[in-house]
Amino acid sequence: MSDHTADYAPETVTSLAAALQRGDASSRELTTDYLKRIERADSTLNSFISVTAEQALAAADAADQTRAEGNAGYLTGIPLALKDIFCTRGVRTSCGSKMLDNFTAPYSATVVEKLNAAGSVSLGKTNMDEFAMGSSNESSYYGAVKNPWDLTAVPGGSSGGSAAAVAAGLAPASLGTDTGGSIRQPAAFCGITGLKPTYGRVSRYGIIAYASSLDQAGPMARTAEDCAHLLGNVAGHDLRDSTSMARCVPDYAAELDAPLAGLKIGLPREYFGDGLDPAVESAVREAVKVYESLGATVRDVSLPHTRYATPAYYVIAPAEASSNLSRFDGVRFGHRCDNPDDLVDLYKRSRAEGFGEEVKRRILIGTHTLSEGFFDAYYIKAQKIRRLIRQDFLDAFDDVDVLMGPTTPTPAFDLGAQSDPVSMYLQDIYTIAINLAGIPAISVPAGMAGGRPTGLQILGPHFAEARLLNVAHQFQQATDWHQQRPAFAKEMI
Amino acid sequence: MQWETVIGLEVHVQLATRSKIFSGASTAFGAGPNTQACAVDLGMPGTLPVVNEQAVAMAVQFGLGVNADIAETSVFDRKNYFYADLPKGYQTSQMYHPIVGPGELEISLDDDVTRRIGIHHAHLEEDAGKSLHESLTDDSGREMTGIDLNRAGTPLLEIVSDPDMRSAKEASAYLRAIHSIVTYLGISDGNMAEGSMRCDVNVSVRPKGQAEFGTRAEIKNVNSFRFVEQAIAFEVERQIELIEDGGDVEQETRLYDPDSDETRSMRTKEEANDYRYFPCPDLLPIVLDQAYIDHLRDTLPELPADKRARFENQLGLSAYDAGVIAASRDMADYFEEAMNVCGDAKQAANWVQGELSAALKREHLDVTRSPVSARQLGELISRVQDDTISGKAAKQVFQALWDGQGESADEIIDAKGLKQVTDTGAIDAMIDDVIAQSPQQVAQYVEAEPEKRGKMIGYFVGQVMKASRGTANPQQVNQRLSEKLDALV
């Protein structure tokens, strides 16, 4: 790393924005540095699928120009990494799949347009589980991503590339997506901060759909403060997404410093049961003590339908996925088999060749649960459970402001350790219910277990992002878990 | 054995919105392949549908037009199946909660009998694209199928009837009534040749008196009134023959081929798809409040049945004329304008039903393309009423207007000298000439029995009219001739 970065390490969006504002660095310098880091480190980590150096430098120059003209905003010139699930015009958008290895998006997602309009600089597209289906990033067509804290561990998934890149300092922040924990779980595994906003808070237009009623984009960064700045930019109503909410976007950064005195925290009993790693649990309990010292009160609560969340999720998400992924048929875009005999052969071979194992498994599950004779028993029942789970949260938030618990049952597991799909699915037991209920949740670094980070998950009522960011930020003012960096990053940079 | 036919229709009406049901792309007909398909229509990864409010309003208008229940909450579902011209691998439709609930429609049959046909429901959905099989080859000369997605995402209202029709005639009358109501409402151009209206026909037969339905066959994609009748006629005969020969009708989908005038099996029940319907998570339920529905109800145009009643009861048209004219909003509008100009409903109806309809039919024109405008026709009728021209001359004037020989009836009457002669002196002079030149006929007249003379006068009238080149007032000629001839007796 060159000299002029010394002042603002460890880099956060906030510190880089300040440096740009002071004129200590240009966007071109920052962008060049990050591109160099990626070049040095990413052959080891594999956190990027595509690095768009040329476009990044052009965007950086444009940002510097904007700044010179006096029109810079907070994010102008800030380098970022985008999960490869966001359509980016003129850039390959693979969604981690062989199916879309040859797909160059003809348009940009709404959030990408918003980031471009704000003048931020995209360094490239980060690795992910294929079609966002996975909790370890091992289902990517582009190979597994390594966790910078321990190269034998997974970074989590599906936004594993984003989490690893931010943790390793290859990007100050990233935009990920979360359908059942895909922002929060990798954030926890990689020791960064990740926010899954309320369903409908951020436009889904241009995000390649996995499970439409659960997918939501959100920021992944080193701090809650950075997440506040990013969310403030990408949130808001979008006429192109009927499920985005017409509700004004608060100034998230402005509310970060509100005091926590009187904050009522609930600890769901069901989030501290069997299977929870003691080190993870004690990190959460320690974090709760920090909050008590900041003036919060704590009580136990119950979310009685929690244990049905994973089964309900694995009916609803694959059902939607089986339909969402039907468009990948080899006809208009994406992988097409060689010399098809006829239309059916074209479908069968293009899809058999283009999709990986986990994607096929979920398409099969979803096709089955939607089929005649099974629909009521699976899909309709799962929707009923979904309503009960949502009601659990609404009831809990009658009594408390936020809920806290672990983000994951264990710290990052070893690459290749979870060979059974069902045990992989159980990695998301604390995150999935949040998506089913549509509420927001944030994961913040809260400790270490065997050299691997663990996360504290904070849950809030619908549209309580400002409160969550405030609560997370206050924790980060009182602790330094979020400032710790993996040795790999220090060596590489 | 006496057989009874049971028919139900699923009519797909293309709604006349400017843009597609879930995207901003144009719906205009006839553009180059794939020039009117945007990222959403192409099913590009990441794209999302946004429902076209105009399509929703049109569906509600239809529902109100057939006195149907309008669903306060309706939901879009995905119908999943693979086909090359179905970009997303599913069609967005409404399976479980359609926007229009039960209603009914009155149909008129030729013998002035009316029947009520139940509307089971009507739902919104998107059309698929089109496969082009003709003359496409790849670089190595292999035959290929082209896909044109211009039509993909075009809004359709699928109107599903109850199985209430008992003959091919009733089915086509029902289809005409649907056509009439959607064009009245202006929610579809109703152009069957361009595919704006197509229907699937469900046909079964049962022994007369039997309560339960027979096994039905569904004939897909029939696209004209005539083909509906022909397809049903063929299918009924096929099913009866099959049963009478000891066989069973199979539940299947069939295709009507107008060239061979027969239906052919497309797929049987066993081959039928499981469409795996489920609510589309990308679209919120459509929630309509009563004020919105009331507003649409208040702004509905007068519908065919009401118009027919008004024509008959207030304007004094025959039931038949009222029915035929009111069936088409364009025809009814034309009629009313012509009537307003001339002030005579019966004459306007006679002309519209007679001369005008014959000419339109002869040249295969729609009334909106008529070379004679309603105003021109109204003025022409006025000229007959005020005795400026004779009824016979009026037909000449109509033809001249049709041929574009003048801007108005008056202009043509002047140019052709068709003004009726009513001057008694001039008429008397012509009569005297004719009598002088027809001594033989005059002699016969005089000698004839008085009761036979009435018939014989026709010859003289004809001669006088001929001499006047049709311009003499025939009543006047008749009267003066009788007087003069009788004076000779």
Side-chain angles (χ1 to χ4, degrees):
Chain A
M1 193 84 196
S2 48
D3 291 336
H4 51 257
T5 56
D7 292 344
Y8 44 83
E11 308 85 345
T12 59
V13 171
T14 310
S15 66
L16 294 177
L20 286 167
Q21 237 162 1
R22 287 195 304 269
D24 290 352
S26 68
S27 178
R28 174 166 264 270
E29 288 168 329
L30 296 181
T31 302
T32 306
D33 285 339
Y34 278 108
L35 289 170
K36 279 185 190 158
R37 294 182 190 185
I38 293 167
E39 204 177 305
R40 272 199 300 273
D42 212 42
S43 53
T44 307
L45 285 185
N46 196 30
S47 66
F48 280 83
I49 290 172
S50 304
V51 178
T52 51
E54 209 174 300
Q55 290 100 315
L57 290 169
D61 288 343
D64 287 333
Q65 181 67 32
T66 302
R67 189 171 297 281
E69 288 161 4
N71 297 323
Y74 196 86
L75 294 179
T76 303
I78 302 286
L80 296 172
L82 299 170
K83 185 178 183 179
D84 205 18
I85 199 168
F86 297 100
C87 283
T88 41
R89 188 188 167 99
V91 175
R92 175 174 62 181
T93 300
S94 75
C95 221
S97 181
K98 180 183 178 184
M99 182 58 88
L100 290 178
D101 185 47
N102 64 2
F103 178 66
T104 301
Y107 74 101
S108 287
T110 296
V111 290
V112 174
E113 283 183 349
K114 286 186 166 197
L115 288 171
N116 288 343
S120 74
V121 174
S122 172
L123 296 166
K125 311 291 293 289
T126 56
N127 206 339
M128 56 182 286
D129 279 301
E130 184 180 6
F131 284 103
M133 298 178 189
S135 308
S136 70
N137 219 109
E138 292 168 298
S139 76
S140 170
Y141 171 64
Y142 300 91
V145 177
K146 295 194 171 98
N147 189 322
W149 289 90
D150 183 338
L151 297 177
T152 64
V154 301
S158 66
S159 311
S162 291
V166 173
L170 307 190
S174 180
L175 207 59
T177 61
D178 189 318
T179 306
S182 282
I183 286 175
R184 292 159 289 155
Q185 185 250 22
F189 280 9
C190 292
I192 65 164
T193 308
L195 172 68
K196 197 290 285 186
T198 307
Y199 183 78
R201 179 74 287 185
V202 178
S203 167
R204 293 187 296 113
Y205 190 80
I207 299 173
I208 298 177
Y210 159 24
S212 313
S213 73
L214 302 161
D215 295 343
Q216 189 62 195
M220 302 173 77
R222 304 187 64 81
T223 64
E225 185 178 14
D226 284 3
C227 288
H229 286 295
L230 285 170
L231 181 65
N233 182 261
V234 298
H237 185 225
D238 181 4
L239 290 173
R240 293 177 294 187
D241 175 4
S242 317
T243 63
S244 72
M245 294 290 278
R247 193 181 162 116
C248 63
V249 179
D251 182 350
Y252 296 112
E255 302 185 37
L256 292 170
D257 293 324
L260 297 190
L263 179 75
K264 286 182 275 184
I265 298 171
L267 301 181
R269 227 165 279 140
E270 293 78 7
Y271 284 41
F272 296 89
D274 289 346
L276 178 60
D277 183 295
V280 175
E281 176 169 0
S282 77
V284 171
R285 303 256 182 224
E286 288 301 314
V288 171
K289 281 185 195 152
V290 172
Y291 279 107
E292 284 179 304
S293 74
L294 295 173
T297 59
V298 179
R299 71 170 74 169
D300 282 350
V301 298
S302 176
L303 302 169
H305 297 94
T306 297
R307 66 195 173 105
Y308 302 114
T310 301
Y313 175 90
Y314 278 99
V315 170
I316 292 166
E320 293 180 7
S322 70
S323 176
N324 284 335
L325 270 60
S326 293
R327 68 188 61 200
F328 304 107
D329 57 7
V331 174
R332 294 166 315 286
F333 42 74
H335 178 73
R336 177 186 286 191
C337 67
D338 289 331
N339 301 316
D341 294 334
D342 55 24
L343 187 60
V344 172
D345 185 47
L346 170 78
Y347 288 150
K348 284 185 174 170
R349 284 201 288 126
S350 298
R351 288 168 68 81
E353 293 164 10
F355 289 138
E357 282 309 304
E358 185 57 31
V359 171
K360 285 178 192 164
R361 181 177 296 115
R362 295 195 196 188
I363 290 174
L364 287 173
I365 294 171
T367 303
H368 177 70
T369 56
L370 288 178
S371 51
E372 212 178 320
F374 298 96
F375 180 67
D376 288 352
Y378 289 115
Y379 186 83
I380 296 292
K381 187 148 218 170
Q383 292 293 4
K384 284 181 189 159
I385 293 171
R386 184 175 187 171
R387 282 192 289 276
L388 294 172
I389 287 169
R390 181 186 151 93
Q391 194 56 48
D392 278 358
F393 284 113
L394 297 182
D395 292 346
F397 289 126
D398 281 344
D399 300 326
V400 299
D401 300 316
V402 295
L403 296 168
M404 288 188 188
T407 309
T408 60
T410 66
F413 45 88
D414 289 346
L415 283 156
Q418 305 284 359
S419 52
D420 168 42
V422 175
S423 64
M424 185 74 92
Y425 298 165
L426 293 175
Q427 289 300 315
D428 298 327
I429 50 170
Y430 303 134
T431 48
I432 269 176
I434 283 85
N435 298 78
L436 290 171
I439 59 172
I442 190 167
S443 176
V444 292
M448 298 294 287
R452 298 177 185 182
T454 68
L456 165 73
Q457 186 177 212
I458 312 167
L459 292 58
H462 294 99
F463 296 99
E465 285 83 0
R467 189 61 162 160
L468 291 186
L469 289 162
N470 161 235
V471 170
H473 179 69
Q474 290 306 307
F475 181 71
Q476 293 181 334
Q477 296 302 103
T479 61
D480 67 354
W481 296 113
H482 62 291
Q483 286 172 346
Q484 304 206 6
R485 311 195 66 186
F488 173 84
K490 292 176 192 157
E491 284 161 28
M492 278 295 170
I493 293 163
Chain B
M1 178 170 325
Q2 283 270 59
W3 294 93
E4 182 176 53
T5 306
V6 176
I7 301 161
L9 257 56
E10 295 165 20
V11 184
H12 297 80
V13 173
Q14 179 178 327
L15 297 176
T17 55
R18 277 208 308 268
S19 58
K20 294 187 176 176
I21 187 167
F22 299 124
S23 84
S26 166
T27 52
F29 179 79
N34 298 308
T35 56
Q36 288 181 171
C38 68
V40 175
D41 307 322
L42 293 172
M44 278 287 167
T47 56
L48 296 172
V50 175
V51 73
N52 182 334
E53 288 179 20
Q54 204 189 358
V56 173
M58 287 175 167
V60 173
Q61 285 175 309
F62 173 79
L64 294 171
V66 294
N67 289 315
D69 300 335
I70 306 299
E72 278 176 34
T73 301
S74 61
V75 178
F76 284 106
D77 298 295
R78 291 186 184 176
K79 178 181 183 179
N80 295 284
Y81 66 97
F82 285 95
Y83 199 66
D85 58 21
L86 187 71
K88 299 186 298 293
Y90 57 83
Q91 178 194 29
T92 308
S93 181
Q94 296 186 310
M95 173 67 178
Y96 300 109
H97 304 283
I99 186 160
V100 175
E104 61 177 17
L105 189 59
E106 189 178 274
I107 61 168
S108 328
L109 303 166
D110 282 347
D111 42 6
D112 286 348
V113 174
T114 59
R115 280 206 59 205
R116 290 182 177 278
I117 305 297
I119 305 272
H120 183 271
H121 76 270
H123 64 258
L124 283 166
E125 62 184 26
E126 59 182 336
D127 207 346
K130 207 162 63 174
S131 296
L132 308 166
H133 298 290
E134 58 277 351
S135 64
L136 281 169
T137 49
D138 66 7
D139 297 340
S140 56
R142 286 211 315 175
E143 277 189 37
M144 297 198 303
T145 297
I147 305 293
D148 179 5
L149 295 176
N150 283 354
R151 216 176 63 190
T154 298
L156 299 178
L157 184 67
E158 181 173 337
I159 303 159
V160 180
S161 82
D162 288 322
D164 284 354
M165 286 152 275
R166 295 292 174 267
S167 69
K169 281 263 176 266
E170 288 186 11
S172 82
Y174 168 81
L175 192 58
R176 279 175 212 277
I178 295 280
H179 185 269
S180 168
I181 206 162
V182 298
T183 50
Y184 256 75
L185 291 167
I187 63 174
S188 176
D189 64 17
N191 188 329
M192 297 185 88
E194 289 176 5
S196 299
M197 231 177 103
R198 333 188 267 275
C199 79
D200 301 340
V201 188
N202 286 291
V203 184
S204 64
V205 297
R206 61 182 171 189
K208 217 171 174 88
Q210 180 183 303
E212 60 268 30
F213 295 133
T215 306
R216 68 190 154 89
E218 182 181 19
I219 312 166
K220 280 275 181 201
N221 254 334
V222 192
N223 67 352
S224 87
F225 299 116
R226 193 159 53 92
F227 292 165
V228 164
E229 289 195 35
Q230 290 174 355
I232 293 171
F234 176 87
E235 185 58 22
V236 167
E237 204 171 315
R238 186 187 73 86
Q239 292 186 11
I240 292 173
E241 251 175 55
L242 194 63
I243 300 169
E244 288 184 342
D245 289 349
D248 286 316
V249 175
E250 211 182 332
Q251 186 173 335
E252 61 180 350
T253 305
R254 298 179 71 85
L255 197 68
Y256 176 69
D257 178 358
D259 293 333
S260 58
D261 188 20
E262 61 180 20
T263 66
R264 281 197 304 266
S265 181
M266 271 174 77
R267 56 175 183 260
T268 61
K269 194 183 175 188
E270 285 68 37
E271 301 167 58
N273 278 310
D274 176 357
Y275 291 118
R276 291 169 282 123
Y277 283 98
F278 77 107
C280 178
D282 289 329
L283 289 161
L284 301 176
I286 302 173
V287 179
L288 303 173
D289 61 33
Q290 200 52 48
Y292 175 83
I293 296 170
D294 289 344
H295 169 73
L296 287 177
R297 183 183 283 116
D298 293 345
T299 53
L300 280 189
E302 186 183 33
L303 292 171
D306 297 333
K307 204 172 280 254
R308 189 166 59 231
R310 179 167 60 86
F311 285 178
E312 197 179 334
N313 302 331
Q314 291 180 25
L315 302 181
L317 302 194
S318 70
Y320 178 78
D321 283 354
V324 174
I325 294 174
S328 152
R329 184 177 179 173
D330 290 332
M331 191 59 97
D333 286 349
Y334 187 103
F335 158 73
E336 290 204 80
E337 191 185 342
M339 178 192 76
N340 288 335
V341 171
C342 72
D344 186 331
K346 281 198 171 161
Q347 282 304 318
N350 285 345
W351 275 89
V352 163
Q353 284 282 72
E355 224 55 23
L356 178 74
S357 293
L360 291 172
K361 195 169 179 185
R362 194 165 54 238
E363 303 202 9
H364 304 290
L365 284 178
D366 187 82
V367 69
T368 54
R369 299 270 190 95
S370 169
V372 180
S373 72
R375 165 155 294 280
Q376 288 173 326
L377 180 62
E379 287 167 355
L380 170 59
I381 296 169
S382 298
R383 290 298 156 268
V384 180
Q385 286 171 313
D386 64 15
D387 285 337
T388 305
I389 53 171
S390 67
K392 196 173 170 197
K395 292 187 180 178
Q396 260 179 280
V397 176
F398 179 86
Q399 188 58 46
L401 281 169
W402 186 273
D403 296 337
Q405 291 174 28
E407 287 302 309
S408 69
D410 287 338
E411 191 187 320
I412 289 166
I413 291 165
D414 279 349
K416 291 194 179 284
L418 293 174
K419 207 165 189 148
Q420 191 159 245
V421 176
T422 52
D423 169 33
T424 319
I427 290 176
D428 280 357
M430 286 188 277
I431 290 174
D432 291 344
D433 276 357
V434 168
I435 290 178
Q437 285 161 20
S438 320
Q440 205 182 332
Q441 285 81 2
V442 171
Q444 284 171 356
Y445 183 91
V446 172
E447 284 158 24
E449 304 281 323
E451 56 270 25
K452 290 193 177 164
R453 288 183 189 143
K455 258 188 181 173
M456 297 174 74
I457 204 166
Y459 166 78
F460 298 97
V461 174
Q463 291 300 307
V464 174
M465 292 306 292
K466 197 172 167 187
S468 77
R469 297 188 340 275
T471 61
N473 180 313
Q475 284 86 38
Q476 246 177 314
V477 170
N478 218 313
Q479 197 196 331
R480 292 297 295 157
L481 259 174
S482 317
E483 288 168 16
K484 284 181 183 272
L485 286 170
D486 288 347
L488 298 174
V489 175

